[in-house]
Amino acid sequence: MPIIEDLKEYAERATGLRRPGKKGAADLVHERNPATVRFKDDGLVPNHPRWPLVIYRKVVELAGKHDPAAVMEDLFEANGWGDSWRDGIYDYVHYHSRIHEVLAIARGKGRVRFGGNKGRTYTLKAGDVAVLPAGTGHQCLSADDDFLVVGAYPATGTYDECTAVEDRPRALKTIPKVAVPRKDPVYGAAGPLAKLWKKPK
């Protein structure tokens, strides 16, 4: 599926077909109250010491003429979140210690556990968006055959993938240093993320 989706994305970007554009994508966003949850360090996955996982349910309207993945990509790019990809979510526990991540469900549904083995499991469906602060464990437990996720990252930070206890010493130092994103990936500068993820005083 990733190869097919990569080809679709290339064609859509080259032609503009089935893409709403940055302004058009913003027009497809609904007002939603975020659900938040904080996770404790479980010994393997540090999670973030201060900031919660943020989930927006059915926040983006995907029924229409546009490719749902393109809608998510254009929305995130409009808000300064880039390096997007189309795929699923890994079926093993992992986290990023040097960058935040946004995961949007473009198609299908999947059961995703956040926070590590002692975390919480959510069923995410098309139109849902999860914003993960650095350190947040995530793992796909099961998914529809057509499950498609669009991921992206803020402008600051460096991608890494941590899976083992050996990653912890460095991760514990780098996670708190990852900067607050300039904009909420869904709502932009005025979005809830700025209040939910406050800079330490």
Side-chain angles (χ1 to χ4, degrees):
M1 182 172 62
I3 294 173
I4 294 171
E5 289 297 332
D6 287 347
L7 292 172
K8 281 173 59 178
E9 180 186 358
Y10 178 80
E12 290 164 357
R13 288 189 185 276
T15 64
L17 295 175
R18 302 201 68 205
R19 297 197 76 88
K22 293 178 181 179
K23 181 173 186 323
D27 292 339
L28 299 173
V29 173
H30 300 294
E31 289 295 324
R32 295 286 188 261
N33 289 324
T36 61
V37 62
R38 286 182 172 82
F39 300 107
K40 294 180 179 178
D41 185 330
D42 72 358
L44 173 65
V45 177
N47 292 301
H48 199 281
R50 294 183 307 275
W51 301 339
L53 166 74
V54 178
I55 297 178
Y56 298 115
R57 293 287 192 180
K58 295 183 181 176
V59 70
V60 182
E61 178 61 51
L62 298 177
K65 62 183 179 179
H66 305 297
D67 178 357
V71 171
M72 297 300 193
E73 289 162 352
D74 285 353
L75 177 64
F76 296 155
E77 288 170 17
N79 293 315
W81 291 62
D83 293 329
S84 62
W85 49 264
R86 301 180 183 191
D87 203 344
I89 297 172
Y90 294 140
D91 61 359
Y92 53 87
V93 179
H94 64 289
Y95 64 93
H96 312 296
S97 73
R98 298 168 64 188
I99 201 163
H100 310 303
E101 183 174 38
V102 62
L103 302 173
I105 312 308
R107 191 171 62 228
K109 66 180 178 182
R111 291 178 63 248
V112 181
R113 184 164 58 203
F114 293 106
N117 292 327
K118 298 177 182 177
R120 287 178 58 180
T121 301
Y122 293 85
T123 297
L124 299 180
K125 301 177 182 178
D128 292 347
V129 174
V131 192
L132 289 64
T136 304
H138 46 299
Q139 172 187 19
C140 186
L141 301 178
S142 63
D144 292 347
D145 290 342
D146 66 343
F147 187 56
L148 179 63
V149 178
V150 173
Y153 308 93
T156 57
T158 303
Y159 181 87
D160 68 345
E161 184 180 311
C162 302
T163 59
V165 70
E166 290 79 18
D167 299 318
R168 281 179 56 81
R170 179 182 55 82
L172 290 171
K173 294 177 183 177
T174 57
I175 289 168
K177 296 179 182 177
V178 181
V180 179
R182 291 184 59 211
K183 295 182 180 180
D184 185 304
V186 175
Y187 293 107
L193 202 65
K195 292 181 180 178
L196 295 170
W197 291 7
K198 294 180 181 176
K199 293 180 181 178
K201 294 180 179 179

